[in-house]
Amino acid sequence: MNNRNRGKNTGDDILFGSEKQISKLKLAVQDMQYLLTRGYAEKAASDLVGNRYRLKTRQVQALRGASASDGQIQNRKQKEQHISDLKGETVYLDGFNVLILLESLLSEAFVFKGVDGCFRDLSGVHGTYKRVNQTQRAIELVAAFFQKAEVHKLIWIFDQPVSNSGRIKQLILDFAIENQLNWDVELQFSPDKFLAESSGIIISSDAWILDHCKVWFNLIGYLIKEENLSVNLIQCYDE
């Protein structure tokens, strides 16, 4: 697995680095929320809003990640757990979702806080996962959470079809053994479906999983605050 960063793309500073662009994104998220609440499909809504504000492809990607309908926001908030709810519990973690987001955050890429309070980035797995310089630190942050929250067991769930999923599984298992952590790692062919149907507490920022799971915990929000992480954060709405 190659060592590299998962930082900003060329041009991201132009798309997200000025107050003018952030203000435009906030207005776009407001419009997107309005349309989604009234039953517009996500693609149709993002096309409409993207055209109105003349957004570039990565800005539309950020818009879609940051947006949700009023009903989705309410549903997700009702199911969100507090750190105290995790003590003694088994927790399922959306492996690539969490790991790549933490790697991006630690690489000083832009991270977006959406209307549901979740944090998302613009990276992703495109068939292959490649370890980066920040992978080890990301795993260590999850370990710090695991110990502070006094979670009974943490189960990482990764996409089996993704190349190198077996390697990251072994890396995490080795780390757990070395640090005496009650962790397990599973490779699933349909991880989103598996997590959504689980009766346990879920850690993910994937919108579909959050809409369909029983209960979830906002790990990234917790780590940013608890570990005082430096973040290139873009708040996509006015609180």
Side-chain angles (χ1 to χ4, degrees), residues 97-116:
N97 177 275
V98 172
L99 199 54
I100 290 171
L101 179 48
L102 279 173
E103 290 167 351
S104 296
L105 185 157
L106 295 168
S107 301
E108 301 182 352
F110 286 109
V111 172
F112 304 84
K113 186 177 183 183
V115 293
D116 60 357

Side-chain angles (χ1 to χ4, degrees), residues 3 22 25 34 46-47 51-52 63 65 84 88 91 106 133 140 154-155 163 166 177 187 204 207 224-225 230-231:
N3 274 338
I22 293 171
L25 183 60
Y34 179 90
S46 63
D47 286 349
N51 288 336
R52 180 184 181 191
L63 165 71
S84 57
V91 176
L106 295 168
N133 296 329
E140 289 168 358
L154 183 69
I155 303 173
S163 178
I177 291 167
L187 303 182
S204 180
I224 288 172
K225 191 173 182 180
S230 174
V231 190

